Amino acid sequence: MKLLLGLITGIVFGFLLQKARVLRYDKQIGALRLKDMTIVKFMLSHIMVAMVGIYLLQGFGMVNLSPKATVLGANILGGLIFGLGWGLVGYCPGTAAGALGEGRIDAIFAMLGMLVGASLFAHTYPWLKATVYTWGAFGKITLPPLLGINQWLIIAVLLVVYAMFLRFLERKQL
Amino acid sequence: MNSNGKSWSPYVAGALSGLLSIASVLVAGKYLGASTTFARVMGMIERSISTTLVDTPYYLKYTLAVDWQFMFVFGIVLGAFLSSRLDGSFRVQLVPDMWERNFGSGGIFRVVVAFVGGMIAVYGARFAGGCPSGHGLSGLTQLSISGFIAAACFFAGGMISANILYGRRR
């Protein structure tokens, strides 16, 4: 049942990514070159809706949060490494799969590289675990408890900030 | 807003995908993410070569089998195929348009950079603990500190390498 749900969720997600045209190399690199912010519009719209929905349902005790651990060393170094590769390949792991679906052959080579990258990581992890993963490890923390501010106040502020940023992008016609 | 009349506004599609992620967490208890699948698939491949290859702490963290996220990533391929076939935007293409305008239509260079870039990207994604889906979408949705940090670094790193690659080109 879980597998079927995963498949259905993926099909709908892939459909929406393709409809918004965010799977394309040109859109991803366009965002990184600050020329076309379509993917940022998609991501922020997703986040604005999901943030409100997930925190509402969590308030009713219907869902649990599952934040990833904050480890400054790994989040920052790994994040920068991801970015450097992303700027070259022009697809992220999810969009490479979708790009393949809409016929982009280069996405196959991207995904083969991604598999090799995963293997390289798995085999260097023991060394990283003893070093980088101990730098700034704070566990699974989220913004509200860290700031000691009510979550809905933070969500309201973020909604305004995100909306203003999107309005700025529209004004600049990005 | 878009040159292609058959495409949807990224605001509409993005908001709908937000509803989808709420439904996924509610029904399956699963937050969207993609990059773990590459580690899982590679673990399965390495295990089929030799079981000693996967006897390493990272692969031991995971059940090396087809799971929810594997099916999710596979579904993305199908969903994108379906959508692009239905509206006629499906196009078999090796060299992306922007790439071709700047580096020509030669496929080898693109293939090599796509492979190397993919390799670096997923190394970094696994290192950081997630990709733009897991850290970006799901992390920011949950107001996770790791999500804000990783997402900022994703874009910072990407701006550096994309701008080095393209310089002042079109």
Side-chain angles (χ1 to χ4, degrees):
Chain A
M1 191 60 198
K2 277 257 155 110
L3 295 183
L4 184 65
L5 286 173
L7 182 68
I8 294 167
T9 310
I11 290 173
V12 177
F13 193 53
F15 190 92
L16 293 169
L17 289 168
Q18 206 282 330
K19 277 283 170 232
R21 306 297 189 240
V22 293
L23 296 169
R24 294 175 183 181
Y25 172 92
D26 290 22
K27 296 287 184 187
Q28 309 228 353
I29 299 298
L32 297 177
R33 297 176 68 200
L34 307 178
K35 289 174 183 294
D36 178 344
M37 292 303 200
T38 309
I39 68 165
V40 174
K41 295 174 190 175
F42 182 96
M43 292 181 83
L44 285 180
S45 306
H46 174 110
I47 291 161
M48 290 168 83
V49 170
M51 178 170 68
V52 173
I54 293 292
Y55 271 91
L56 263 180
L57 293 178
Q58 193 228 11
F60 293 127
M62 293 167 75
V63 303
N64 292 313
L65 294 183
S66 177
K68 292 174 185 285
T70 296
V71 184
L72 295 182
N75 296 148
I76 293 172
L77 272 174
L80 288 172
I81 293 171
F82 172 87
L84 292 173
W86 186 25
L88 297 175
V89 63
Y91 302 116
C92 57
T95 50
L100 174 63
E102 63 171 0
R104 313 301 152 138
I105 309 294
D106 58 338
I108 295 173
F109 297 95
M111 291 170 84
L112 289 174
M114 288 174 180
L115 287 171
V116 174
S119 175
L120 284 176
F121 179 74
H123 293 288
T124 49
Y125 176 72
W127 179 77
L128 295 170
K129 192 181 173 196
T131 54
V132 188
Y133 279 88
T134 62
W135 303 344
F138 291 97
K140 300 180 174 184
I141 49 170
T142 59
L143 213 42
L146 182 77
L147 297 177
I149 298 173
N150 181 284
Q151 60 205 42
W152 289 108
L153 186 60
I154 293 173
I155 289 169
V157 169
L158 283 175
L159 286 175
V160 172
V161 170
Y162 293 156
M164 282 169 61
F165 184 63
L166 291 172
R167 186 155 166 262
F168 167 79
L169 293 181
E170 289 300 331
R171 283 196 166 178
K172 294 279 178 188
Q173 298 189 315
L174 285 169
Chain B
M1 188 180 292
N2 283 295
S3 54
N4 187 336
K6 288 165 189 161
S7 67
W8 294 2
S9 150
Y11 298 116
V12 174
L16 287 173
S17 78
L19 292 176
L20 174 72
S21 85
I22 296 169
S24 175
V25 175
L26 187 62
V27 177
K30 291 290 182 186
Y31 286 89
L32 309 189
S35 68
T36 312
T37 294
F38 288 85
R40 219 177 238 117
V41 168
M42 206 56 206
M44 288 191 264
I45 293 170
E46 289 186 44
R47 187 179 55 194
S48 72
I49 299 167
S50 163
T51 49
T52 57
L53 281 174
V54 292
D55 187 19
T56 180
Y58 195 69
Y59 286 138
L60 292 173
K61 291 206 304 185
Y62 298 103
T63 308
L64 298 177
V66 168
D67 68 334
W68 179 92
Q69 197 192 83
F70 178 95
M71 296 305 286
F72 172 71
V73 174
F74 181 63
I76 292 176
V77 181
L78 295 182
F81 177 75
L82 200 70
S83 165
S84 61
R85 292 296 290 189
L86 287 174
D87 71 10
S89 60
F90 180 89
R91 185 152 66 104
V92 175
Q93 186 186 42
L94 176 63
V95 180
D97 297 337
M98 186 194 283
W99 182 282
E100 188 171 344
R101 279 201 302 279
N102 290 284
F103 306 113
S105 57
I108 304 285
F109 185 36
R110 172 58 192 149
V111 163
V112 170
V113 172
F115 183 89
V116 172
M119 189 171 76
I120 297 171
V122 164
Y123 187 93
R126 290 291 80 224
F127 192 166
C131 60
S133 306
H135 264 319
L137 298 179
S138 300
L140 265 64
T141 290
Q142 297 179 76
L143 308 177
S144 169
I145 304 302
S146 56
F148 287 103
I149 295 169
C153 292
F154 293 163
F155 277 92
M159 281 182 217
I160 292 169
S161 61
N163 283 294
I164 288 174
L165 185 63
Y166 280 90
R168 293 184 180 277
R169 295 162 197 255
R170 290 184 292 139

